[in-house]
Amino acid sequence: MSEMATATRPAAEGFDEVHILWISEGMSCDGDTVSITASSQPSIEDVVTGMIPGLPTVHLHNKVLSPTVGGEEFLAAFRAAARGELDAPFILVIEGSIPNEKINGEGYWTSFGNDLETGQPLTLNWWIDQLAPKAWAVVAIGTCAAYGGIHAMAGNPTGSMGLADYLGWDFKSAGALPIVNIPGCPVQPENFMETLTWVLYHAAGSAPPPPLDSLLRPQWLFGKTVHEGCDRGSYYEQADFAKDYNSPKCQVKIGCWGPVVNCNVPKRGWMNGVGGCPNVGGICIACTMPGFPDKFMPFMDMPPGGSLSSMLGKPYGAFVRRMRGITNATANREPKWRHNRDVLTTGYDPRYRP
């Protein structure tokens, strides 16, 4: 299908085939690619083998998951897409933060393949410039690609940034979609696969565009805080805080940022519903947030407001714990009418008629 046909075909008609061109040559550790292999609802295997009803046929081009031997065989689809000659619409997935190649001196920060004429490396930025305007949808996987992440922290020499910082926050793909940001360091497996599946259903013409918030995150995944889904939250309410990392209680005083971080990991778990940072004794270091890591360091220190929360909550929490303790003791006693005597004391009256 030509570039023009891909760009102008109405989404409502739907597509039978879609390529996923996945570039992890951003400033990246490939951790997001590794993470999504753990997804089971759905799995990447189910998506690419056609096991999910209603999805278009998916051709995945990811260097870690590619069946090719690499090199030019792997790059063929990317080069065809850059020329506008790919045989079907494509979704561009970017993994890793985007360096500023305007400040690279005489070198380059990161590259993906070589120019066939000059033999010089082709930068990630070149590929984004060529592919993003032609892509039916553009997806940033992980916090690095979404907002810059670790590589964009203060003092870095690369000028790294998120994909929306590079393309512009008002960018629209050829399918009239904004960039879809799915943050996480790494991304939670099902968060990415569920969102990708939604985008694919939209490409098939059988679903509306995924709803995104002002930071281009899927609303249904990042609309609540870690704290709201944390199984330690009740300890916070009772001002019952952990003093070390072996405690099952609320970890706010030992560095957890959960009350102010948009993330669903405590509810969703990590693999098959199991795990997730606070669930297994780890503090939330806010790795899904646009301000990560600069605004949340040093990670093991109590967040601002942690002392105030505990101070204000202490008298209330102590009172609530006491009252709940009394009620708990009462609830742990059987009712008095359960006895082995010759009298019925439950209040039952066979003669009663309403």
Side-chain angles (χ1 to χ4, degrees):
M1 181 179 292
S2 70
E3 172 190 338
M4 185 60 68
T6 301
T8 59
R9 181 177 176 181
E13 293 182 12
F15 302 116
D16 299 324
E17 292 187 61
V18 172
H19 289 269
I20 297 176
L21 302 184
W22 188 316
I23 301 178
S24 59
E25 264 64 33
M27 310 300 279
S28 166
C29 64
D30 290 305
D32 298 304
T33 288
V34 174
S35 179
I36 64 100
T37 62
S39 178
S40 60
Q41 296 180 339
S43 68
I44 188 68
E45 295 90 345
D46 287 345
V47 169
V48 300
T49 58
M51 298 298 290
I52 309 297
L55 292 189
T57 299
V58 174
H59 305 285
L60 176 66
H61 307 272
N62 174 294
K63 69 178 183 184
V64 177
L65 305 175
S66 174
T68 71
V69 295
E72 286 302 316
E73 182 183 0
F74 174 69
L75 287 171
F78 295 86
R79 295 196 189 279
R83 296 191 301 266
E85 298 173 357
L86 201 59
D87 60 358
F90 68 93
I91 296 170
L92 177 63
V93 176
I94 297 295
E95 180 175 354
S97 52
I98 319 303
N100 184 350
E101 294 291 357
K102 295 178 181 178
I103 60 170
N104 63 16
E106 297 180 357
Y108 56 91
W109 296 122
T110 182
S111 66
F112 183 57
N114 296 329
D115 187 296
L116 294 177
E117 294 184 4
T118 67
Q120 292 300 306
L122 292 171
T123 66
L124 169 69
N125 305 53
W126 184 90
W127 284 104
I128 293 173
D129 292 343
Q130 299 300 311
L131 297 178
K134 301 179 180 73
W136 188 82
V138 177
V139 178
I141 178 173
T143 299
C144 291
Y147 307 121
I150 293 290
H151 310 91
M153 66 188 297
N156 87 87
T158 65
S160 289
M161 67 199 87
L163 187 59
D165 299 317
Y166 182 81
L167 289 173
W169 283 83
D170 57 352
F171 171 86
K172 292 292 189 295
S173 69
L177 293 172
I179 297 167
V180 180
N181 285 333
I182 313 168
C185 190
V187 72
Q188 199 280 344
E190 269 88 16
N191 279 356
F192 176 77
M193 289 305 304
E194 186 176 296
T195 305
L196 179 64
T197 302
W198 190 321
V199 173
L200 288 168
Y201 273 123
H202 181 50
S206 57
L212 307 177
D213 65 16
S214 62
L215 292 167
L216 307 180
R217 301 172 294 201
Q219 289 180 350
W220 75 98
L221 298 176
F222 295 93
K224 301 292 184 182
T225 65
V226 166
H227 189 71
E228 289 170 307
C230 183
D231 59 7
R232 298 168 181 257
S234 59
Y235 288 103
Y236 181 96
E237 178 199 12
Q238 297 178 173
D240 201 0
F241 298 99
K243 295 181 175 62
D244 58 59
Y245 297 102
N246 295 316
S247 172
K249 299 178 181 180
C250 178
Q251 301 180 110
V252 162
K253 295 187 75 171
I254 54 173
C256 184
W257 283 84
V260 296
V261 171
N262 295 94
C263 181
N264 65 345
V265 162
K267 271 194 171 183
R268 184 154 223 172
W270 198 260
M271 292 176 61
N272 295 317
V274 178
C277 313
N279 298 352
V280 294
I283 59 173
C284 173
I285 61 173
C287 75
T288 59
M289 301 297 280
F292 177 81
D294 302 74
K295 293 184 178 180
F296 306 99
M297 296 171 66
F299 294 134
M300 301 305 177
D301 285 4
M302 185 191 307
S307 295
L308 183 63
S309 295
S310 59
M311 181 179 68
L312 294 178
K314 197 166 186 180
Y316 167 78
F319 175 76
V320 168
R321 286 202 308 276
R322 176 60 178 161
M323 292 299 101
R324 286 177 177 169
I326 293 172
T327 303
N328 176 259
T330 301
N332 270 307
R333 290 196 296 268
E334 289 194 36
K336 60 184 179 180
W337 58 80
R338 296 178 188 171
H339 55 74
N340 189 29
R341 299 197 298 270
D342 297 328
V343 59
L344 180 65
T345 58
T346 63
Y348 170 69
D349 185 351
R351 295 165 297 181
Y352 174 74
R353 296 291 183 270

